[in-house]
């Protein structure tokens, strides 16, 4: 039986979401943090609460444990004469704990943020992916765009 639930994060979920973000840094970058764990969690929780207008988080829970997250950053776009209200989104920080990977849970998170974006009337949703995850995003409807460029600093 699948006892995994998927829903928008609540304020009570945020410390566990911060812990996932902390774990991600150490797993992917392998570098030491610039701040202590407790300081990071407090900052992250405050940031998430202050940015609810521009960032939404979807969480995966197995029982009482948060085992995955995905964020959708909401961006207001410049109006046009044919569309006075325009928004796009950016998928950020998709993460599933290592012990729960390769079971489709990451795909469920991606599908959930895409559905959220559709529900919010997004024109498009982008993602900046690791090389390892590109094929997974493509399986969920993302495609390369010759018009999307980036400048890195």
């Amino acid at each position: 039986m699948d006892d995994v639930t998927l829903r928008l994060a609540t304020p009570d979920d945020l410390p566990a979401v911060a812990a996932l973000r902390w774990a991600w840094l150490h797993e992917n970058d392998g570098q030491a943090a610039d701040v202590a764990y407790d300081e990071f969690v407090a900052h992250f929780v405050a940031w998430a609460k202050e940015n609810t207008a521009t960032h939404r988080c979807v969480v995966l829970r197995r029982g009482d444990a948060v085992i995955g997250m995905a964020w959708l950053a909401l961006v207001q776009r410049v109006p046009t004469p044919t569309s006075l209200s325009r928004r796009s989104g950016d998928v950020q920080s998709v993460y599933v704990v290592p012990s729960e990977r390769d079971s489709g849970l990451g795909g469920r998170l991606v599908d959930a943020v895409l559905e959220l974006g559709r529900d919010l009337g997004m024109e498009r949703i982008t993602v900046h992916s690791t090389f390892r995850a590109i094929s997974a995003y493509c399986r969920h409807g993302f495609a390369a765009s010759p018009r999307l460029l980036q400048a890195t600093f």
Side-chain angles (χ1 to χ4, degrees), residues 15 20-21 28 34 41 43 45 52 78 103 111 113 122-124 126 128-129 135 140 146 149:
L20 293 179
R21 191 67 174 123
N28 290 306
D34 292 337
V41 171
H43 176 83
V45 168
T52 58
V78 176
S103 61
D111 288 343
V113 293
M122 301 286 158
E123 288 182 14
R124 70 171 162 252
T126 58
H128 180 222
S129 177
S135 62
H140 291 273
L149 308 172

Side-chain angles (χ1 to χ4, degrees), residues 80-137:
T80 69
T82 59
S83 182
L84 300 178
S85 178
R86 300 173 63 216
R87 295 183 1 164
S88 63
D90 186 57
V91 177
Q92 299 178 349
S93 302
V94 178
Y95 182 81
V96 176
V97 297
S99 62
E100 297 281 354
R101 291 185 189 153
D102 299 322
S103 61
L105 294 176
R108 287 175 61 182
L109 280 168
V110 171
D111 288 343
V113 293
L114 290 175
E115 182 178 343
L116 177 60
R118 278 190 290 278
D119 292 347
L120 294 171
M122 301 286 158
E123 288 182 14
R124 70 171 162 252
I125 296 176
T126 58
V127 65
H128 180 222
S129 177
T130 63
F131 285 110
R132 188 181 82 193
I134 290 172
S135 62
Y137 285 110

